[in-house]
Amino acid sequence: GGPTNAAGGVAAPGMTTGGGGGAGGGAPTGNESVSLGTATQTHEVRMPMLLSTFKPATGCTNASDFIVRCFVARLRSGITVVKHGRSRWCKSRLRVLHVHSDGRSLSWKPALGEPSSGKRPPKLDLTTCREVRHAWSPDPDNPMFTGTPILRQKCEAANAHKSFALIFPKRTVDITAVTADQCKVLMEGFSALCFRLHVAQKVAGGGGKR
């Protein structure tokens, strides 16, 4: 036969070579939560979902080095989201999420133009994050409900599709993304990063008792 690459050199390295060019973005695993950036990765690290210490967001199964490195780089430069305050009287405000140089401590600061509070924002250790939970995912503490108490109280129904929470032992960090795409990137990124941090901690601790 003739040369296989005659149809133009635009094939992504990790995509299947099966003449799906006209599919209009319909990758074979269209319902999988895999972004275009990860679809071109040939080596994926699949999360076994068996960690007793951490539950990734539903559908987030890829914890490749590529995803983790890209996400940490974006977090270091800061990602602007709406963060829902824990106090009943605390408004939901634009905050810039960022990770510290250790790659595991999460913090945030007011976005440009937002009033800054006098308090120092907490520094949360992502190795203690137990779950990344979408606003529509079941709440194990309240099986009749989804999300978290704060998301149910503060997040408008119209924004639930782009909202999620990071679940820590003594608190949650409740977030509405600017867009649905950003929400997906954040959920995939936090799921992959926390998963890898938990695995690394287990390895370092010889199985870990925490």
Side-chain angles (χ1 to χ4, degrees), residues 14-106:
M15 300 298 275
T16 53
T17 57
T29 53
N31 60 354
E32 288 288 326
S33 182
V34 178
S35 66
L36 283 176
T38 62
T40 59
Q41 284 303 104
T42 49
H43 300 293
E44 293 186 358
V45 178
R46 290 278 163 185
M47 295 185 220
M49 304 292 186
L50 296 175
L51 284 184
S52 58
T53 52
F54 177 67
K55 182 182 177 188
T58 304
C60 295
T61 58
N62 189 352
S64 68
D65 286 345
F66 177 79
I67 287 188
V68 173
R69 279 202 305 268
C70 288
F71 184 63
V72 169
R74 288 182 69 168
L75 262 184
R76 283 202 171 130
S77 58
I79 300 175
T80 302
V81 297
V82 175
K83 187 187 157 297
H84 302 290
R86 292 192 292 164
S87 156
R88 181 171 303 205
W89 298 277
C90 193
K91 282 188 179 174
S92 302
R93 300 241 182 230
L94 281 172
R95 293 288 180 260
V96 180
L97 297 177
H98 61 95
V99 72
H100 292 261
S101 54
D102 61 5
R104 57 186 262 184
S105 300
L106 180 72

Side-chain angles (χ1 to χ4, degrees), residues 123-162:
K123 201 168 155 183
L124 297 176
D125 185 350
L126 288 171
T127 63
T128 67
C129 179
R130 290 178 171 172
E131 184 185 350
V132 179
R133 185 188 303 160
H134 189 271
W136 286 341
S137 291
D139 180 352
D141 295 330
N142 295 280
M144 301 291 287
F145 297 99
T146 62
T148 66
I150 291 172
L151 283 176
R152 295 194 289 272
Q153 182 188 336
K154 301 278 187 80
C155 174
E156 295 177 22
N159 292 327
H161 69 287
K162 57 179 182 177

Side-chain angles (χ1 to χ4, degrees), residues 79-82 94 159 162 175-183 186:
I79 300 175
T80 302
V81 297
V82 175
L94 281 172
N159 292 327
K162 57 179 182 177
I175 290 164
T176 293
V178 179
T179 64
D181 277 348
Q182 188 201 42
C183 179
L186 286 166

